[in-house]
């Protein structure tokens, strides 16, 4: 089983943003040591508790402090940006860190309505145009983009192109990933949709492309792991967006965390892997304590194969 890290780069009091970045780098370095496949950071805006507003900037820093682990965005919020700027930024990262860069794309605002307006204007219109924006981005990443009949290249052209993944929580995002032949990450930890149904739809509609000839799926799940069930449940308590979380797996697709010891978390991941026919999970661990968050990832790393 492959495991990867999704870091929201939390600012946990009394830390400030600078301290949060150092904790994030520590997590990335330890994840590399423990055998995790990827370290991804999420994008958020005007949220005091989350420090990563520009994944491409922070990834440049993380890349310089790590050696082998793949690094990427989970996700870069494409409606806010022009395709050319995104392609140039991630081509530059791929030139700096060849064979290690993932471009995970999302369509959420990443903050309040006012923050979205301040960042990119009419966000809803940008979302409506997302299919065309995504087409342009893929053309730029694959070296086949034209503007007014003339070729335009997103430079630098890296020796190894970034891997492109579409992130989402429903069949719409799965359909976009399938149409463009990208990998797909289903955000189970923030979705009430049926992962099995969404992933099946992606596979059935997948169109081979320069990005890949076969479907590739990662499930993003929330995990709190500790040395005992009681400690894990205690760490999960008080997380307002985790209401309804339980230590045992449930048959209904709901917004839940996997909470427990290594053995119980592994059992739940194995069940999900069988149901969705996946072999990689992206783990987000929103424990409000840096040391215990790191310990959770360390414990879970024992099941990496």
């Amino acid at each position: 089983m492959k495991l990867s890290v999704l870091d929201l780069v939390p600012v946990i009091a009394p830390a400030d943003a600078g301290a949060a970045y150092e904790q994030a780098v520590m997590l990335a370095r330890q994840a590399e040591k423990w055998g995790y496949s990827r370290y991804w950071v999420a994008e958020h805006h005007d949220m005091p508790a989350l420090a990563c507003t520009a994944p491409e900037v922070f990834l440049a820093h993380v890349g310089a402090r790590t050696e082998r682990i793949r690094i990427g965005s989970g996700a870069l919020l494409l409606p806010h940006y022009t395709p050319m700027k995104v392609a140039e930024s991630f081509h530059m990262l791929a030139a700096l860190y060849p064979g290690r860069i993932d471009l995970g794309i999302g369509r959420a605002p990443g903050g309040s309505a006012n923050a979205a307006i301040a960042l990119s204007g009419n966000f809803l219109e940008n979302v409506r145009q997302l299919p065309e924006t995504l087409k342009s981005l893929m053309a730029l990443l694959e070296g086949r983009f034209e503007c007014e009949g003339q070729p335009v290249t997103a430079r630098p052209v890296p020796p190894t192109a970034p891997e492109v993944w579409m992130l989402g929580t429903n069949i719409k995002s799965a359909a976009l990933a399938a149409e463009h032949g990208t990998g797909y990450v289903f955000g189970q930890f923030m979705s009430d949709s049926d992962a099995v149904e969404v992933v099946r739809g992606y596979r059935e509609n997948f169109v081979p492309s320069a990005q890949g000839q076969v479907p590739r799926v990662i499930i993003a799940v929330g995990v709190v792991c500790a040395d005992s069930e009681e400690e894990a449940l205690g760490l999960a308590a008080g997380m307002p967006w985790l209401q309804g979380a339980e230590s045992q797996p449930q048959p209904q697709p709901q917004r839940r965390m996997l909470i427990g010891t290594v053995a119980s978390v592994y059992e739940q991941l194995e069940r999900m892997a069988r149901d969705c026919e996946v072999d990689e999970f992206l783990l987000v661990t929103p424990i409000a304590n840096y040391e215990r968050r790191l310990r959770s990832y360390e414990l879970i790393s024992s099941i990496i194969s």
Side-chain angles (χ1 to χ4, degrees):
M1 182 183 296
K2 295 180 181 179
L3 300 180
S4 296
V5 173
L6 174 60
D7 192 357
L8 306 186
V9 194
V11 182
I12 302 172
D16 58 11
Y21 297 140
E22 283 304 305
Q23 291 290 337
V25 169
M26 183 187 302
L27 175 56
R29 288 168 63 88
Q30 290 299 118
E32 181 175 74
K33 175 182 176 181
W34 294 328
Y36 283 87
S37 297
R38 312 171 197 270
Y39 171 84
W40 286 6
V41 291
E43 174 184 347
H44 294 91
H45 299 280
D46 193 22
M47 299 183 71
L50 302 176
C52 188
T53 55
E56 69 278 18
V57 175
F58 189 60
L59 290 173
H61 180 61
V62 173
R65 303 279 294 273
T66 53
E67 297 178 0
R68 301 174 305 280
I69 193 169
R70 295 192 68 92
I71 56 177
S73 54
L76 181 128
L77 305 177
L78 188 57
H80 290 311
Y81 309 109
T82 65
M84 182 69 169
K85 184 58 178 177
V86 173
E88 286 181 333
S89 296
F90 277 78
H91 271 184
M92 187 173 181
L93 285 169
L96 286 167
Y97 309 111
R100 295 179 57 197
I101 301 301
D102 297 328
L103 171 52
I105 299 168
R107 45 178 273 165
S112 68
N114 288 337
I117 291 170
L119 185 63
S120 59
N122 190 334
F123 180 77
L124 292 179
E125 176 62 20
N126 295 342
V127 170
R128 189 186 69 80
Q129 295 178 3
L130 184 64
E132 290 302 316
T133 304
L134 188 56
K135 286 180 182 178
S136 295
L137 176 59
M138 302 308 294
L140 283 160
L141 293 171
E142 295 167 7
R144 51 181 178 81
F145 183 79
E146 291 187 354
C147 182
E148 297 182 351
Q150 297 299 312
V152 175
T153 301
R155 301 184 187 278
V157 179
T160 304
E163 278 190 12
V164 181
W165 295 80
M166 194 76 197
L167 285 75
T169 59
N170 54 45
I171 58 175
K172 290 183 179 179
S173 55
L176 278 174
E179 178 185 352
H180 293 281
T182 72
Y184 181 59
V185 181
F186 176 70
Q188 175 68 28
F189 74 98
M190 54 189 299
S191 176
D192 291 333
S193 297
D194 184 349
V196 175
E197 179 183 351
V198 174
V199 170
R200 182 188 299 121
Y202 162 72
R203 288 200 173 101
E204 290 176 349
N205 294 290
F206 181 84
V207 179
S209 71
Q211 295 299 321
Q213 296 300 300
V214 296
R216 294 165 293 141
V217 178
I218 299 174
I219 305 293
V221 296
V223 176
V224 173
C225 187
D227 292 291
S228 70
E229 294 283 343
E230 293 75 18
E231 182 184 0
L233 288 168
L235 290 171
M239 298 180 188
W241 60 282
L242 303 182
Q243 297 305 312
E246 296 177 17
S247 59
Q248 299 300 320
Q250 301 293 317
Q252 300 85 7
Q254 296 184 28
R255 184 179 303 178
R256 298 181 185 277
M257 299 289 290
L258 307 186
I259 301 170
T261 62
V262 173
S264 62
V265 168
Y266 177 67
E267 180 182 352
Q268 294 172 78
L269 288 175
E270 278 280 280
R271 183 174 305 182
M272 197 179 301
R274 289 193 302 270
D275 291 344
C276 298
E277 299 181 23
V278 300
D279 67 353
E280 183 172 353
F281 292 94
L282 187 66
L283 309 183
V284 57
T285 299
I287 296 173
N289 177 289
Y290 289 124
E291 182 178 346
R292 291 187 174 183
R293 182 179 73 144
L294 198 64
R295 176 60 175 163
S296 179
Y297 279 111
E298 180 182 16
L299 288 169
I300 298 170
S301 70
S302 65
I303 68 176
I304 293 173
S305 58

